[in-house]
Amino acid sequence: MSWYTKSFRRHLLDMHIADWDDRFLSEFDPETYVENLKIAQVQTAMLYLQSHVGLCYFPSKVAPMHRAFRDRPDAMRQLMALCHAAGITVMGYYSVIFNTWAEQTHPDWGMVRNDGRSPLADGSRYGHCCPNHPEYRAFVAAQIREMLDYFDPDGMFYDMPFWPVMCACPHCRARWAAETGQPWPEQEDAPELLAARRRWMAEFIDFVTAETKCIRPIPVEYNCAFAALPSPRPCISEEVCRSGDYAGGDLYATFRTQSLACKLYDALSKNPPFEYMTGRCM
């Protein structure tokens, strides 16, 4: 459980990659991947098990696998085994909330604005699923069970636990009515509605943590980058860090931003050290 207290050189390769072109990920090679990690003296690798696109890098029963992996379904599991053999610990990556395939396949799972429109329908890059939808929750729980049965990660990283949309779907409206007895606010970012969304997201990530740890007692990390940003609309703060074993997040700005974020993560992290993620090319 405490391996992360001694791991200071970590690596993540973004793999939010669709499969509409056969060339995408066609040259993915576990041996080459791990050899480069060893050259870089990486202590912990964060490996994608799924992405914002919603496609899986393992044989899932509830969502499609990326086409590049269908003839080699164990490629990501092989990479994880090679990492472990090289003494590299592994965090599994899973995208909550952001899931294009899930919204396209189940439109009623999608977040919608007060006007009933989904950002995906209006050209958004990714789909967004509402954590108040019971079927989406059941889907996330099923994926967690699948991943932790198929893989042997040393921890899990859950990305995007915030509200990219001020959701006004029927499930959010019903929960608001049940909890407050009040009509739905006309203003989508009314303070009382922002507070409710904070509670709802906190409850959802507690659910994700519980689903994870009842299968494997491994560390869990959530991306709490938005806790360091000024807008209240994503509706996350210390609630996200509270449910994880340590705080972390990815930010891409100035050294002042990094300094502020590091102080915040240090203060919020349940256990040290926190994790500051940023792009190599930034």
Side-chain angles (χ1 to χ4, degrees):
M1 279 291 289
S2 61
W3 59 263
Y4 58 85
T5 64
K6 302 171 185 176
S7 177
F8 303 105
R9 192 173 179 88
R10 307 181 188 181
H11 176 268
L12 165 65
L13 176 66
D14 267 1
M15 288 175 59
H16 301 296
I17 301 172
D19 66 355
W20 51 265
D21 189 313
D22 288 339
R23 293 172 296 177
F24 296 163
L25 288 175
S26 62
E27 297 182 31
F28 177 85
D29 179 60
E31 289 83 4
T32 302
Y33 195 121
V34 79
E35 285 304 313
N36 280 291
L37 293 177
K38 289 158 66 175
I39 291 170
Q41 301 179 29
V42 169
Q43 294 172 292
T44 298
M46 188 178 291
L47 304 184
Y48 271 55
L49 310 184
Q50 168 259 21
S51 77
H52 295 347
V53 176
L55 302 178
C56 297
Y57 300 122
F58 67 97
S60 170
K61 293 181 180 179
V62 297
M65 187 163 55
H66 195 288
R67 285 167 53 190
F69 285 75
R70 290 177 187 172
D71 292 333
R72 44 179 182 162
D74 63 344
M76 191 60 72
R77 184 161 65 176
Q78 180 186 359
L79 173 56
M80 192 174 295
L82 289 171
C83 285
H84 284 151
I88 299 170
T89 48
V90 174
M91 288 288 285
Y93 174 100
Y94 183 82
S95 174
V96 297
I97 307 299
F98 280 50
N99 190 316
T100 302
W101 172 85
E103 184 180 344
Q104 288 177 334
T105 308
H106 305 277
D108 60 309
W109 293 5
M111 292 187 179
V112 297
R113 299 181 295 260
N114 273 349
D115 61 5
R117 294 284 297 175
S118 161
L120 186 63
D122 291 337
S124 174
R125 183 179 181 186
Y126 298 116
H128 311 115
C129 295
C130 181
N132 283 331
H133 198 298
E135 291 181 8
Y136 176 65
R137 285 186 175 231
F139 168 78
V140 170
Q143 290 245 277
I144 291 172
R145 286 192 297 271
E146 285 186 329
M147 290 186 295
L148 297 183
D149 283 343
Y150 190 77
F151 294 103
D152 184 26
D154 301 289
M156 284 297 297
F157 177 84
Y158 293 105
D159 201 5
M160 317 308 274
F162 67 95
W163 297 86
V165 181
M166 298 293 94
C167 188
C169 75
H171 294 279
C172 285
R173 290 174 180 269
R175 186 167 185 176
W176 170 265
E179 291 180 355
T180 69
Q182 301 295 319
W184 184 259
E186 293 185 8
Q187 185 182 352
E188 68 174 10
D189 56 355
E192 61 272 22
L193 198 50
L194 294 179
R197 290 194 181 100
R198 285 178 61 135
R199 294 195 307 272
W200 297 343
M201 188 58 69
E203 187 269 333
F204 174 67
I205 62 173
D206 284 346
F207 162 79
V208 171
T209 296
E211 289 292 318
T212 302
K213 290 182 179 284
C214 76
I215 303 171
R216 289 183 183 270
I218 54 177
V220 172
E221 177 189 4
Y222 292 92
N223 189 344
C224 56
F226 273 100
L229 300 178
S231 173
R233 292 173 67 88
C235 304
I236 72 166
S237 185
E238 64 275 6
E239 293 89 350
V240 173
C241 301
R242 183 194 65 205
S243 194
D245 288 277
Y246 59 89
D250 60 320
L251 291 165
Y252 315 91
T254 65
F255 286 118
R256 283 189 179 181
T257 303
Q258 179 176 350
S259 177
L260 172 64
C262 287
K263 292 179 176 66
L264 178 65
Y265 292 165
D266 185 53
L268 294 180
S269 190
K270 188 184 298 182
N271 299 294
F274 63 87
E275 180 177 86
Y276 185 90
M277 308 166 68
T278 194
R280 177 185 66 84
C281 297
M282 297 301 290

